[in-house]
Amino acid sequence: MEKMSRVTTALGSSAISGRTMFCHLDAPANAISVCRDATQVVVAGRNIFKIYGLEEEQFVEKLNLRVGRKPSLNFSCADVMWHQMEENLLATAATNGAVVTWNLGKPSRNKQDQLFTEHKRTVNKVCFHPTEVYMLLSGSQDGYMKCFDLRKKESVSTFSGQSESVRDVQFSMKDYFTFAASFENGNVQLWDIRRPDRYERMFTAHTGPVFCCDWHPDDRGWLATGGRDKMVKVWDMTTNRAKEIYCVQTIASVARVKWRPERKWHLATCSMMVDHNIYVWDIRRPFIPFATFEEHKDVTTGIVWRHQHDPYFLLSGSKDSTLYQHMFKDASRPVDRANPEGLCFGLFGDLAFAAKESLISGDANRKPYPGGDRRYPIFFFKKPDLTEQFAHVSSALSVFESSLESKRMDWFVKTARLYLLSGKSFAELCDHNAKVAKELNRPQVSTTWTMLRIMFSDPANLSTPGPNHIGKLGTLPLMNSFSMKEMGMGTESRLDRSKGESRQDNIHLELGNSLINNICPTAENEETEGSEGQAEYMFGDAELDDDDLYSMEHDNQAAEEQEYTLPQEAFPLRHEIMDNPLAPEHLQQDKADSPQASGNEAEVMCLTPIESFSLISISQPLFSPHLPAPFFCPVVREMLSHYAEQGDVQMAVSVLIVLGDRIRKEIDDLTQEHWYMSYIDLLQRFELWNVSNEVIKLSTCSAITCLNQTSTTLHVNCSNCKRPMSNRGWICDRCHQCASVCAVCHHVVKGLFVWCQGCSHGGHLEHVKNWLKSSSHCPAGCGHLCEYT
Amino acid sequence: DREGEKRLNGWEALGSRDPRSRGTAMEHISQEVMQRVESIGPIPATVPSPVATAGHPTSDLNDILARLLMLSKRCPFDDVRERCVWLLQNVQDFGVRIPRPLGNGPSRFIPEKEILQVSKVDPRTQSIFEDAFAALGRLDNISLVMGFHPQYLESFLRTQHYLLQMDGPLSLHYRHYIGIMAAARHQCSYLVNLHVNDFLQVGGDSKWLNGLDGAPQKLQALGELNKILAHRPWLLTKAHIEHLLKAEEHSWSLAELIHAVVLLTHYHSLASFTFGCGITPEIHSDGGHTFRPPSLSQYCVCDIANGNGHGHLEERRGNHQVSEVSGEVEVLMERMKQLQECRDEEEASQEEMATRFEREKTESMLVATAEDEECVPSRDVSRHFEDPSYGYKDFSRRGEHVPTFRVQDYSWEDHGYSLVNRLYPDVGQLLDEKFQMAYNLTYNTMAMHKDVDTTMLRRAIWNYIHCMFGIRYDDYDYGEINQLLDRSFKVYIKTMVCSPEKTTKRMYESFWRQFQHSEKVHVNLLLMEARMQAELLYALRAITRYMT
């Protein structure tokens, strides 16, 4: 009989047939094993221990090994294995620590044969020797592996894992004496069955427990391991040191791993938690499973290939109390569903797009990317490997270069850098930002800022009649055009009116704002005395700068656009002139740009003809009552949404921050959060860390502000012992010395501390800077070539 | 307001490792205090009860003085302690009444001397204390008591710091509020006070503190989970989880829920520890100090009764008991040895007994007896259950029993860890380390005996606690528990784990009378961690079931 079945090992072409099928078990399965001739499968679990026959169309229950009214814990199996030589022989690992063998040839109902109770804790794994009939190996939670001779009553040798729990033991398929054991602490050990005193080799395979391991059925040196760290690793054991040759990252901890028969590169895995699918991986393609079986509704606990030479049948048991036979042809192939498309932005706004060739080739306009073949050789020239059964997808890569002008995001970066979001009065912020926008040639944004300032500045001090008697062109009838009742009018009138207000507000600001009180007196004086009020109060602020004079003088004669832009410009220029000698150039640029802008933007164009109103408007308060700031909120909200819709989320967020409480309640939190997130994301992409941080800090959404509380840990090494500082603070708990000592002056560093990530030495920023100017070696004398960039 | 802020900064600087900046901060504080004292003048002696009648300046000053008192006792830095004592003395010389600590050190059960000695002897403990002080500006009594076991304390503080301060799905005030909810479940006023302060400090809304009704609906929904987890975690089903996750706008995300569950279980078990070690209120909080002079009030009578005088009393009684119970430890060790040997000798018969035990247990479960009987089917244990102080009484009377939870089917290492780490990265790792630390901690001593393998005893304690929660290890012979844990110890464990608020000093004293305090604290750590893991296992299993 034994010989007979041995013959069938060489698989006849039609020896196995069947279909994808399943049967319900009475209880969740913990493990399954198949007999050598692939006709029966044993299912073991806490409350189940049965043998099923594998027939063409269905599973047929052959035998229930769980006998007795109240079966003992010996029947509660953590693992089961069917002997591959002796077809009546089974072994189970019981959760109570017993190793039990079962002889199906026994005439009695209870087939229990041998009982070994040497382990003190749960036995996680039993394994028969592939060729030796009577040799059984077990691995237990108590940290021991035991080798049993089934002809004897007790174990013949014990292997100690130094009190680390053993999760899996596997005899090597090829080396008669070798077995591998995997441990809860992440180690894998190789043992020689003849030498119980000490392992032959040990290496750390995973972080956290290694739940399973499996020898490659054909290749002598390969061992696959799976761990709680969600990895499957393939180790080449033929070299001196175990070498990791492949690694597959799965999405959940790996409970079982089994090489696929007759397929050198394939292995099947299932997970212990969360993920219920069985995956078959081609280890050379670690990113996407070769095939997936998705039938189970709960975690899969046992997988086994039905026959050791047939790659098409996979059996699996699960916590959902089902036993499945999966046909490989019915497996789902994630590759088919995967999008072989890729999209990526380059550093300079170039866009690379790879898509299936079939999709792109239809596009006649496509030009081959110049030099693409050389730049992406792997991408284009990966040789089809005949052993690889992956569907070969060839993609075409298109690179779209952005035209330097249109899509450049320079304006974004500059704006982000230059905008002021806090630290000054509201009006100043608006003015500053308006000026920034102006200089970046974004008149609409600039105008918006100005409008905002006008709308929301506090009109309380308006009663001063001082500035109101300018009225160069002041004619009463025109006043109507910016009476507040006509709010609903077109943008022109609104802008126009706001311009008028802006001037008043300049003054109020100065009158009311104590922060710039040095300016105040001048402004006041000149306002009351001078007849050309407008010019005066602007000069009052700018302290009579030449450029302002220049622009003011041209006010009447120069182009009308120039005049209209003047009020916004004159005010903020104050800063620019002080910092930046190039200011006049800006001015000229503006001049040159303005006509262009008015040509492009309807709004500006509309404004041009009525710019003359703007001067008149100064007398406006005499006639029209001031509207409370909340009046504008709906408009502003709409405006913000508009900007956000247009993709200029920068504007939306900046305004949101600057307006602060004035507008916050008008916009629902989710939208705000969304804007903030988008803006912060953009800022970070442009590596504008400081700005992004400022935005986070200034935001009022709790979801945003808490961003700053994340990832605040800084990992440093002690400069003395070079080991990571686990301590908070600056005392290394290993060498008990202060780690933040300056390597140059040997004093404790307070404040800015700079250190080399290579050798952990550092010190005062200035000291280290100076040192590295003259020397390229570390100041601590450790010989490291530090670099300060 | 700015004034107050400045002062606060001053306190924080005291945590610096640099003695000079500590000195500066201390200088600043003393100036501040003396200024206030001078402005008040030496009148307060006439004020009968400063706390009740005094206006703002005085009570404000009192807070500062209380804080100084705390620092003078608890600050891990010598210089700060000395300066605080000196400053308080100065204040007193000025005629202002200064507070004095109530009670007797960080724990009611353990003499203050013994606890504070630890940090002076062990540099590692000292360093951990300094870190904790620098991070929080205080060194709470729990940490002081845990200082007996620096390795564990480190892991504990790291985890707690991560849960409360570091990256996580929940906002800071939510975290503290959940801590308050959990501690309140066991009426642990110590933890509640601690976290009320923290809650307000991170900007929590004080309205929430009026009760769960005042909190957002989202937190209110958590109340049910809190209740079940604290008292009957085995009743937790996936329906509860679903309820929390599918509550429209008040719903929890899975990650938030995991965070909340970890916090709840952490604080339930910490409440157990707090009561189990008789942790006293912090000196600077209410009930930790008094301004009454010792000779005048009732307090001092109490104090004398509980304080120094008590120490003597206790010592005397202790001596008396030693003679009475000497040999307790030896008996225990003898039993451990016997169990070990007997197992080695007759494997098969042991296995047979285990089988019988299992059969007994299964049958007794069908008959629906008290849940603990299933775990330890001995009359000895079942007698405890009649104890009125017993939290589970009601359920057993109604015929409910704790269903068995097979740890082989859902264990922390295999399942719980993966789930937590998936949804709340790094916390799985931290908890794993903490559990292992607690489970494996040993000094190989038992009372006065050295080089003892205590594995068996620790395992018995751990499994006994899990067994109270219905968690069953297939590979454990529960008969061992009866051999190793005597009745008074079981009473203590049971009370501490199930209704910690009922723990009394007598219970603490009556178990393991010959053992050191540090060993009893060790036991408390085991209890705390085992309880936390048990609760977590139930909660995580419910979440896993929801997810599948």
Side-chain angles (χ1 to χ4, degrees):
Chain A
M1 171 127 181
E2 204 176 291
K3 270 177 195 156
M4 280 271 291
S5 46
R6 218 175 261 172
V7 174
T8 57
T9 328
L11 178 69
S13 60
S14 59
I16 298 179
S17 60
R19 60 182 188 92
T20 294
M21 59 187 183
F22 75 100
C23 76
H24 285 291
L25 311 171
D26 313 324
N30 277 347
I32 61 174
S33 186
V34 73
C35 78
R36 184 182 42 172
D37 60 6
T39 54
Q40 294 180 77
V41 59
V42 58
V43 182
R46 169 170 298 287
N47 295 311
I48 181 169
F49 191 19
K50 280 183 181 172
I51 291 174
Y52 286 88
L54 287 156
E55 299 194 349
E56 198 79 5
E57 293 293 312
Q58 61 188 350
F59 290 101
V60 176
E61 186 179 327
K62 283 277 164 72
L63 185 63
N64 187 358
L65 289 155
R66 209 177 149 77
V67 291
R69 207 164 47 82
K70 296 281 168 220
S72 84
L73 268 184
N74 292 342
F75 287 95
S76 166
C77 307
D79 190 36
V80 64
M81 183 159 181
W82 205 313
H83 203 296
Q84 292 303 299
M85 306 282 298
E86 174 58 67
E87 64 183 18
N88 279 332
L89 197 55
L90 293 165
T92 58
T95 51
N96 64 350
V99 174
V100 194
T101 60
W102 311 80
N103 186 354
L104 301 181
K106 269 193 170 183
S108 64
R109 262 186 77 228
N110 190 349
K111 309 286 186 194
Q112 183 173 327
D113 192 18
Q114 293 255 48
L115 179 69
F116 303 100
T117 55
E118 292 179 34
H119 285 295
K120 293 191 183 74
R121 304 283 305 272
T122 298
V123 179
N124 287 318
K125 190 75 193 173
V126 285
C127 182
F128 282 114
H129 196 278
T131 51
E132 197 61 48
V133 180
Y134 296 109
M135 199 184 286
L136 174 68
L137 189 65
S138 67
S140 157
Q141 200 73 18
D142 64 9
Y144 291 101
M145 295 141 278
K146 285 177 187 285
C147 185
F148 303 95
D149 184 330
L150 299 184
R151 293 162 295 194
K152 294 180 182 161
K153 285 257 178 284
E154 52 197 45
S155 64
V156 286
S157 44
T158 300
F159 310 86
S160 168
Q162 260 82 46
S163 73
E164 268 306 322
S165 300
V166 187
R167 299 308 296 244
D168 200 356
V169 284
Q170 291 288 343
F171 276 111
S172 164
M173 298 299 240
K174 301 288 175 189
D175 288 329
Y176 183 89
F177 295 112
T178 307
F179 73 88
S182 72
F183 291 85
E184 206 145 79
N185 62 357
N187 286 344
V188 169
Q189 295 179 352
L190 286 197
W191 290 81
D192 187 317
I193 202 83
R194 297 161 297 185
R195 290 199 57 193
D197 53 328
R198 156 180 184 91
Y199 54 81
E200 298 285 299
R201 182 190 283 189
M202 177 167 84
F203 60 95
T204 303
H206 294 265
T207 53
V210 188
F211 287 137
C212 52
C213 59
D214 196 32
W215 290 95
H216 197 286
D218 304 321
D219 201 308
R220 173 177 308 246
W222 285 13
L223 180 73
T225 58
R228 193 169 71 177
D229 59 2
K230 308 179 191 173
M231 310 254 221
V232 179
K233 292 181 179 176
V234 178
W235 304 86
D236 183 357
M237 312 292 279
T238 51
T239 48
N240 276 342
R241 286 189 61 187
K243 204 172 99 198
E244 182 188 324
I245 45 176
Y246 292 103
C247 178
V248 177
Q249 174 88 50
T250 68
I251 57 166
S253 57
V254 182
R256 311 260 171 186
V257 54
K258 282 272 177 267
W259 289 98
R260 189 175 173 205
E262 312 283 296
R263 292 290 182 277
K264 187 177 180 191
W265 310 95
H266 288 186
L267 49 78
T269 67
C270 66
S271 152
M272 191 167 268
M273 276 294 287
V274 193
D275 186 13
H276 310 156
N277 297 343
I278 302 164
Y279 301 103
V280 178
W281 301 88
D282 185 317
I283 49 175
R284 295 163 300 177
R285 298 280 200 159
F287 303 109
I288 195 156
F290 176 69
T292 314
F293 299 102
E294 293 161 340
E295 280 85 0
H296 285 298
K297 306 271 187 301
D298 201 340
V299 285
T300 311
T301 47
I303 48 176
V304 62
W305 295 95
R306 185 168 160 191
H307 192 278
Q308 49 181 318
H309 293 288
D310 185 336
Y312 300 110
F313 294 82
L314 180 70
L315 300 169
S316 69
S318 158
K319 280 249 162 91
D320 65 5
S321 306
T322 56
L323 173 67
Y324 260 92
Q325 170 168 283
H326 309 276
M327 298 292 296
F328 217 82
K329 62 174 163 53
D330 297 334
S332 74
R333 304 294 182 98
V335 175
D336 300 340
R337 282 174 285 143
N339 284 332
E341 275 97 42
L343 185 74
C344 190
F345 270 110
L347 187 60
F348 301 104
D350 300 349
L351 177 70
F353 174 61
K356 250 190 187 160
E357 217 158 24
S358 54
L359 287 176
I360 294 243
S361 54
D363 185 0
N365 296 332
R366 192 171 69 92
K367 276 180 264 167
Y369 184 78
D373 292 3
R374 248 168 290 132
R375 280 175 65 183
Y376 306 99
I378 302 165
F379 202 79
F380 288 96
F381 292 127
K382 179 150 185 172
K383 278 197 197 111
D385 184 342
L386 290 177
T387 60
E388 217 174 73
Q389 290 179 312
F390 256 74
H392 280 281
V393 178
S394 52
S395 301
L397 176 71
S398 324
V399 176
F400 303 92
E401 283 173 344
S402 68
S403 62
L404 283 173
E405 303 306 312
S406 63
K407 293 295 170 192
R408 286 288 283 274
M409 291 283 279
D410 288 357
W411 63 270
F412 177 87
V413 177
K414 283 192 182 142
T415 313
R417 287 224 178 93
L418 295 174
Y419 267 4
L420 281 180
L421 300 178
S422 67
K424 294 202 169 177
S425 71
F426 169 69
E428 276 180 298
L429 293 176
C430 287
D431 279 337
H432 176 89
N433 295 345
K435 202 201 79 182
V436 169
K438 182 98 231 161
E439 279 173 3
L440 291 167
N441 199 12
R442 304 173 70 211
Q444 190 184 4
V445 172
S446 168
T447 315
T448 310
W449 279 111
T450 317
M451 283 163 59
L452 284 171
R453 190 202 54 184
I454 292 157
M455 286 174 182
F456 288 96
S457 284
D458 183 14
N461 298 331
L462 258 183
S463 51
T464 351
N468 288 334
H469 44 255
I470 306 158
K472 250 187 276 175
L473 303 167
T475 46
L476 282 178
L478 279 168
M479 291 302 152
N480 296 341
S481 66
F482 34 77
S483 103
M484 293 306 163
K485 284 165 203 141
E486 290 174 57
M487 260 316 288
M489 271 180 70
T491 340
E492 309 88 73
S493 73
R494 250 185 288 153
L495 273 175
D496 166 42
R497 170 184 40 74
S498 49
K499 199 138 304 112
E501 276 187 342
S502 86
R503 287 166 197 183
Q504 295 143 22
D505 285 332
N506 277 347
I507 298 151
H508 303 158
L509 190 81
E510 286 153 40
L511 292 177
N513 198 333
S514 60
L515 287 175
I516 41 170
N517 42 12
N518 59 330
I519 290 160
C520 272
T522 349
E524 265 176 340
N525 293 340
E526 293 185 1
E527 275 154 24
T528 42
E529 287 163 20
S531 57
E532 291 184 355
Q534 185 195 9
E536 277 155 19
Y537 64 70
M538 284 189 289
F539 282 108
D541 192 40
E543 305 277 350
L544 288 166
D545 264 305
D546 280 348
D547 295 294
D548 277 355
L549 268 177
Y550 167 79
S551 53
M552 279 315 294
E553 278 157 15
H554 288 71
D555 205 350
N556 295 329
Q557 308 124 19
E560 286 177 336
E561 307 91 69
Q562 184 58 39
E563 193 184 14
Y564 129 73
T565 53
L566 192 74
Q568 297 132 27
E569 203 173 60
F571 194 75
L573 260 180
R574 165 177 67 129
H575 309 286
E576 201 58 42
I577 289 158
M578 286 192 267
D579 301 343
N580 190 349
L582 294 178
E585 272 176 39
H586 281 285
L587 209 65
Q588 262 140 24
Q589 238 171 23
D590 277 354
K591 253 192 265 172
D593 288 347
S594 295
Q596 204 184 354
S598 57
N600 290 342
E601 306 221 3
E603 230 176 12
V604 179
M605 206 157 62
C606 296
L607 279 165
T608 332
I610 40 166
E611 61 79 29
S612 50
F613 302 169
S614 60
L615 293 174
I616 302 155
S617 64
I618 285 154
S619 47
Q620 177 229 326
L622 295 175
F623 300 92
S624 65
H626 265 279
L627 288 170
F631 179 83
F632 301 105
C633 285
V635 185
V636 174
R637 185 180 59 205
E638 226 171 87
M639 183 270 290
L640 289 182
S641 307
H642 173 75
Y643 274 114
E645 291 288 302
Q646 295 284 306
D648 188 2
V649 76
Q650 179 176 50
M651 185 65 186
V653 172
S654 303
V655 170
L656 201 57
I657 292 175
V658 170
L659 282 179
D661 284 328
R662 297 177 186 90
I663 191 72
R664 192 175 302 133
K665 293 203 178 60
E666 291 290 315
I667 298 164
D668 70 293
D669 288 349
L670 266 177
T671 315
Q672 287 192 32
E673 197 182 314
H674 183 68
W675 291 350
Y676 272 120
M677 287 309 271
S678 318
Y679 187 38
I680 289 164
D681 189 41
L682 274 171
L683 288 172
Q684 292 183 343
R685 270 167 198 269
F686 282 100
E687 302 186 348
L688 295 162
W689 312 114
N690 289 341
V691 184
S692 124
N693 196 49
E694 194 192 356
V695 169
I696 293 173
K697 220 171 89 189
L698 290 172
S699 76
T700 44
C701 300
S702 54
I704 302 297
T705 43
C706 74
L707 285 178
N708 256 6
Q709 287 152 13
T710 62
S711 308
T712 50
T713 321
L714 195 63
H715 295 283
V716 289
N717 282 346
C718 169
S719 60
N720 292 316
C721 62
K722 304 240 168 47
R723 269 175 296 177
M725 303 258 294
S726 53
N727 245 329
R728 291 183 298 278
W730 286 104
I731 304 284
C732 174
D733 54 356
R734 286 197 185 78
C735 49
H736 299 286
Q737 290 200 33
C738 186
S740 60
V741 174
C742 175
V744 179
C745 68
H746 300 286
H747 287 291
V748 173
V749 184
K750 281 181 216 164
L752 281 179
F753 182 60
V754 61
W755 75 95
C756 168
Q757 294 191 324
C759 65
S760 313
H761 294 116
H764 293 101
L765 180 62
E766 282 304 314
H767 290 169
V768 173
K769 238 191 209 168
N770 287 335
W771 176 275
L772 290 174
K773 268 181 203 157
S774 55
S775 165
S776 59
H777 285 272
C778 173
C782 69
H784 188 261
L785 288 167
C786 302
E787 198 179 345
Y788 179 83
T789 45
Chain B
D1 213 33
R2 282 176 73 187
E3 192 80 340
E5 223 161 77
K6 229 165 70 193
R7 217 177 58 231
L8 208 80
N9 291 340
W11 295 125
E12 269 165 20
L14 288 181
S16 161
R17 283 185 177 277
D18 177 24
R20 266 178 301 168
S21 50
R22 286 202 301 267
T24 328
M26 205 56 228
E27 193 58 41
H28 186 77
I29 290 169
S30 18
Q31 276 171 14
E32 183 89 18
V33 170
M34 291 318 285
Q35 224 171 19
R36 276 161 200 260
V37 168
E38 278 160 26
S39 74
I40 292 167
I43 349 129
T46 54
V47 182
S49 165
V51 184
T53 54
H56 184 255
T58 336
S59 73
D60 196 28
L61 177 66
N62 282 348
D63 285 346
I64 301 177
L65 291 179
R67 188 137 192 166
L68 282 173
L69 179 69
M70 182 272 285
L71 288 172
S72 72
K73 296 278 181 191
R74 297 281 183 264
C75 181
F77 299 106
D78 288 335
D79 52 342
V80 174
R81 280 204 303 269
E82 281 160 22
R83 292 275 298 175
C84 286
V85 170
W86 173 84
L87 182 56
L88 281 172
Q89 191 59 50
N90 271 9
V91 171
Q92 193 174 34
D93 291 348
F94 221 86
V96 174
R97 191 170 283 165
I98 59 161
R100 66 199 171 78
L102 275 175
N104 202 14
S107 160
R108 282 185 294 129
F109 301 166
I110 308 165
E112 184 171 14
K113 261 186 286 172
E114 209 167 314
I115 296 173
L116 297 182
Q117 220 169 16
V118 175
S119 67
K120 292 187 186 99
V121 175
D122 187 349
R124 183 165 179 194
T125 316
Q126 171 71 17
S127 143
I128 295 170
F129 280 174
E130 285 172 11
D131 281 345
F133 187 79
L136 292 168
R138 63 165 188 249
L139 188 56
D140 51 33
N141 288 340
I142 291 185
S143 306
L144 278 169
V145 172
M146 284 183 185
F148 280 117
H149 307 282
Q151 292 158 295
Y152 173 83
L153 176 62
E154 211 174 0
S155 176
F156 172 84
L157 288 176
R158 203 184 310 134
T159 312
Q160 186 168 269
H161 181 250
Y162 196 94
L163 288 177
L164 292 176
Q165 260 93 40
M166 304 289 275
D167 301 6
L170 289 174
S171 53
L172 293 180
H173 60 291
Y174 260 59
R175 304 181 192 191
H176 288 293
Y177 195 80
I178 291 172
I180 296 170
M181 282 170 71
R185 203 58 243 165
H186 286 307
Q187 297 142 47
C188 181
S189 55
Y190 171 82
L191 285 174
V192 170
N193 283 336
L194 213 58
H195 285 281
V196 162
N197 283 337
D198 291 346
F199 173 74
L200 294 174
Q201 210 163 21
V202 296
D205 184 350
S206 58
K207 264 184 242 141
W208 297 12
L209 298 174
N210 297 337
L212 202 53
D213 300 337
Q217 232 168 354
K218 191 166 163 176
L219 282 168
Q220 289 183 28
L222 201 64
E224 178 75 5
L225 181 71
N226 183 20
K227 203 167 66 189
I228 298 178
L229 263 184
H231 303 301
R232 287 183 273 174
W234 52 88
L235 293 184
L236 208 59
T237 61
K238 79 177 192 187
H240 292 111
I241 305 297
E242 204 167 73
H243 178 71
L244 286 170
L245 296 179
K246 295 252 169 83
E248 302 297 318
E249 75 265 41
H250 306 298
S251 69
W252 290 74
S253 74
L254 263 176
E256 286 174 328
L257 185 64
I258 292 276
H259 194 170
V261 160
V262 174
L263 280 170
L264 286 175
T265 53
H266 179 81
Y267 280 102
H268 288 153
S269 51
L270 196 56
S272 281
F273 181 85
T274 307
F275 285 111
C277 290
I279 302 290
T280 50
E282 297 293 335
I283 293 179
H284 62 287
S285 66
D286 285 348
H289 62 271
T290 178
F291 281 88
R292 289 162 193 267
S295 55
L296 291 178
S297 73
Q298 298 165 317
Y299 273 128
C300 65
V301 180
C302 274
D303 278 351
I304 289 163
N306 295 328
N308 305 329
H310 197 79
H312 291 295
L313 248 155
E314 190 186 350
E315 236 165 69
R316 233 180 302 136
R317 205 175 59 200
N319 287 337
H320 178 63
Q321 280 168 351
V322 168
S323 59
E324 184 189 316
V325 298
S326 70
E328 192 191 44
V329 186
E330 285 75 11
V331 169
L332 186 54
M333 285 174 63
E334 188 56 36
R335 278 196 189 145
M336 282 167 65
K337 212 169 138 197
Q338 269 174 6
L339 277 172
Q340 194 81 42
E341 283 167 356
C342 141
R343 232 208 261 166
D344 286 343
E345 277 167 17
E346 19 181 349
E347 294 291 342
S349 83
Q350 272 293 306
E351 175 61 21
E352 270 305 300
M353 278 167 63
T355 316
R356 252 180 273 134
F357 166 69
E358 171 64 16
R359 202 172 295 142
E360 287 281 320
K361 182 191 157 290
T362 325
E363 272 161 9
S364 72
M365 269 180 63
L366 291 173
V367 189
T369 47
E371 76 280 68
D372 304 73
E373 224 171 288
E374 107 189 350
C375 312
V376 188
S378 82
R379 239 176 271 147
D380 179 31
V381 182
S382 58
R383 246 185 288 132
H384 306 326
F385 301 147
E386 300 307 317
D387 186 345
S389 73
Y390 208 64
Y392 295 85
K393 210 175 120 199
D394 283 348
F395 320 122
S396 47
R397 204 183 278 149
R398 267 185 277 141
E400 275 182 50
H401 65 81
V402 185
T404 309
F405 180 118
R406 304 285 188 146
V407 94
Q408 267 80 5
D409 293 343
Y410 198 100
S411 68
W412 164 254
E413 288 81 10
D414 293 2
H415 306 92
Y417 171 92
S418 301
L419 184 64
V420 172
N421 237 22
R422 185 187 184 87
L423 294 168
Y424 187 9
D426 294 348
V427 167
Q429 193 61 40
L430 286 170
L431 291 176
D432 200 38
E433 279 164 22
K434 187 158 70 91
F435 287 142
Q436 276 190 27
M437 177 63 71
Y439 190 86
N440 294 325
L441 189 69
T442 181
Y443 305 95
N444 294 317
T445 56
M446 273 177 80
M448 48 293 204
H449 300 272
K450 291 206 165 62
D451 299 323
V452 190
D453 182 5
T454 55
T455 318
M456 188 179 260
L457 192 57
R458 284 181 284 127
R459 193 169 168 215
I461 297 171
W462 186 277
N463 287 357
Y464 179 61
I465 294 154
H466 275 191
C467 149
M468 285 190 298
F469 286 96
I471 296 174
R472 165 93 206 253
Y473 291 80
D474 282 346
D475 52 5
Y476 188 68
D477 175 6
Y478 284 83
E480 279 183 18
I481 288 176
N482 264 346
Q483 302 275 318
L484 298 176
L485 313 185
D486 62 12
R487 188 175 177 282
S488 56
F489 189 26
K490 279 181 182 165
V491 171
Y492 178 74
I493 295 179
K494 193 87 201 183
T495 317
M496 207 194 110
V497 170
C498 299
S499 39
E501 61 276 11
K502 289 173 183 149
T503 316
T504 63
K505 188 168 184 178
R506 237 185 78 198
M507 286 181 197
Y508 176 85
E509 278 163 358
S510 61
F511 83 92
W512 280 14
R513 273 166 291 196
Q514 285 175 304
F515 283 76
Q516 315 274 335
H517 283 296
S518 71
E519 288 172 306
K520 291 195 173 187
V521 172
H522 185 175
V523 166
N524 269 294
L525 295 180
L526 265 179
L527 303 192
M528 171 167 104
E529 292 300 331
R531 177 179 181 194
M532 178 169 182
Q533 197 181 73
E535 281 186 23
L536 259 185
L537 280 176
Y538 277 109
L540 295 176
R541 187 178 67 165
I543 293 173
T544 307
R545 283 183 176 165
Y546 166 80
M547 286 167 75
T548 51

